[in-house]
Amino acid sequence: MSAALALSIVAPCYNEEAGLAAFVARMSAAAQAAVGADYELILVDDGSRDRTWSVIRGLSADHPRIVGVRLSRNHGHQLAVTAGLSRVRGRRVMVIDADLQDPPELVGPMIARLDEGYDVVFGRRRQRAGESIFKRATASLFYRTLAALTETEIPLDTGDFRLMSRRIVDRLNAMPERDRFIRGMVAWLGGTQTEFLYDRDPRLAGETHYTLRRMVRLAIDGLTGFSTAPLRLAMILAGFGLLVAGALLVYVLWGFVTHSATPGWTSLALIVVFFSTAQLACLAIFGEYLGRTYMQSKGRPLYMIDEIVAGDASEARD
Ligand code: UDP
Ligand code: MG
């Protein structure tokens, strides 16, 4: 490990030809100021349709610190980051967008914070300049809904802009799940994590690739990846159905006893009440098993050990 670089930077790039050179210039200067030449900048071309890859090739020919990784097609932001993270060689790893919305100059202060003994320093957005009210409102709603429905404490208003210790990145890379919601996975890993408040800038060039459709997908990935609450809906409905059925039962039987009901209605009502409640109950049971199978299928480790102390030093450390 001692041969590891001081810093790896991973930047996913999709159709970023216009702003990439500016990003690399600012990012390299900031990294150079923070750790000298002891860093690498991994640019992952996520199957861009513009000239992003040839820009990356050109930049890597000029800068020895740049590593270009080209994905075979567009795999999406989260997988592009995943691909970059799988190739890091540094002791500290930064994930940053290539569109200059996350200021590269924060790398120095974030390293200082990480070196105080944290595993993760995640950027938390104080402001999001240049983004529509709609985007800000939906993002805010999403983060809060997610927080309400999951047991993992996923920090609010936090994207993937962050600095991590290599230990966390190795653990993240070892998580085999396919639908990756990285900010949630990092939160799930635990360890010591702290926020770093910053103002998100407007995009330098080009436009956002997170269309409404992609945002909804990401939201669904986040929600289903960390919560089986939606599956529990049947359980809630069944409970509610049971209450209604109880009340209905009294009403139906009262009609039968007082002969005020149309003949045939009693049995019909009873059948409907009984079977619909039974069906919801069965769905709820399915949901419980399915939820467990689903979580198991993610193949996540059961727990993470941060530290072990033993008086006689016979216990190995992590
Ligand atoms: N990105 C990517 N693949 C995609 C979409 C986006 O690698 O399919 C990259 C993009 O180049 C940028 C980062 O992910 O560096 C964030 O994307 P974007 O700026 O479009 O999202 P926003 O900042 O608007 O949420
Ligand atoms: Mg952006």
Side-chain angles (χ1 to χ4, degrees), residues 78 138-139 141-143 145-146 149-150 154 177-184 210-231 294-295 298 300:
Q78 299 289 299
T138 47
L141 181 73
F142 164 63
Y143 287 122
T145 312
L146 193 61
L149 291 181
T150 59
I154 303 173
E177 60 203 78
R178 300 183 59 83
D179 298 304
R180 298 177 88 78
F181 183 64
I182 294 171
R183 61 203 78 164
Y210 267 97
T211 53
L212 185 61
R213 209 179 107 236
R214 282 190 190 234
M215 281 193 333
V216 169
R217 256 237 72 85
L218 184 73
I220 293 176
D221 279 348
L223 196 62
T224 56
F226 291 87
S227 167
T228 48
L231 274 176
Y294 169 67
M295 280 303 177
K298 287 192 171 292
R300 287 181 188 165

Side-chain angles (χ1 to χ4, degrees), residues 16 97 99-101 131 135 200 203 207-210:
E16 301 286 2
D97 285 356
D99 58 5
L100 285 173
Q101 282 199 278
E131 290 181 311
K135 171 138 192 173
R200 194 157 155 87
R203 235 176 193 283
E207 52 190 43
T208 177
H209 308 295
Y210 267 97

Side-chain angles (χ1 to χ4, degrees), residues 25 48 67 101 139 143 153 157 180 189 229 236 267 280 288 297:
S48 298
V67 178
Q101 282 199 278
Y143 287 122
E153 275 185 41
D157 306 320
R180 298 177 88 78
L189 282 166
I236 297 166
S267 53
L280 278 174
E288 283 303 309
S297 76

